[in-house]
Amino acid sequence: MASHSFSPYVSFPGNAAEAFTFYHEVFGGSLDLQKYGDTDTTGFPFTPPPDAVAHAQLSGGLITLAGGDGFGDDQHLTSDVYSFLIGLESVAEAESLIAVLTGRGSEIAMPFALAPWGDHYGQVRDPFGVLWALVVSTEE
């Protein structure tokens, strides 16, 4: 049987190295970060800056996330049309993660509280514009 996986991929506007370092410090796991200057770009349809991130993969902690530096004029991440949802085991664990995120420059977008559907839920926007939703299920 084939193995499947899912990972969001984010194209950052030139600050992928900074963002992935931040996520590695906050969410843990293993970070693999490759810059264009460390790869063979022969045959590429463009000439990427050598310090730009060609590919980054964060896995093994609270999240799995892939990405790199994007190129073009429309490179902004701040939006309310998407968020990355992290399911946590306890309210205390969620509150601790929120404290770490806000202590590092993130802002509360929606206070973490008991939601109408019965779970605890809240949102935090990180310094890179990504919206993180945190949920703790009350189901046992």
Side-chain angles (χ1 to χ4, degrees), residues 33-88:
L33 194 136
Q34 301 170 3
K35 295 189 176 185
Y36 282 105
D38 300 327
T39 63
D40 181 10
T41 58
T42 304
F44 270 39
F46 61 96
T47 303
D51 286 339
V53 174
H55 181 73
Q57 178 78 35
L58 179 62
S59 56
L62 281 178
I63 66 170
T64 297
L65 183 66
D69 282 317
F71 303 99
D73 295 333
D74 190 23
Q75 295 291 313
H76 57 87
L77 296 175
T78 303
S79 176
D80 290 330
V81 300
Y82 78 92
S83 63
F84 297 142
L85 180 65
I86 301 175
L88 299 157

Side-chain angles (χ1 to χ4, degrees), residues 64-137:
T64 297
L65 183 66
D69 282 317
F71 303 99
D73 295 333
D74 190 23
Q75 295 291 313
H76 57 87
L77 296 175
T78 303
S79 176
D80 290 330
V81 300
Y82 78 92
S83 63
F84 297 142
L85 180 65
I86 301 175
L88 299 157
E89 293 184 13
S90 70
V91 169
E93 184 182 18
E95 290 172 339
S96 176
L97 180 56
I98 290 167
V100 169
L101 285 163
T102 56
R104 297 189 52 125
S106 301
E107 297 179 359
I108 300 292
M110 177 183 289
F112 186 74
L114 188 61
W117 62 87
D119 295 338
H120 281 82
Y121 179 85
Q123 298 175 339
V124 177
R125 186 172 313 279
D126 72 28
F128 307 98
V130 175
L131 187 62
W132 296 92
L134 299 101
V135 65
V136 175
S137 175

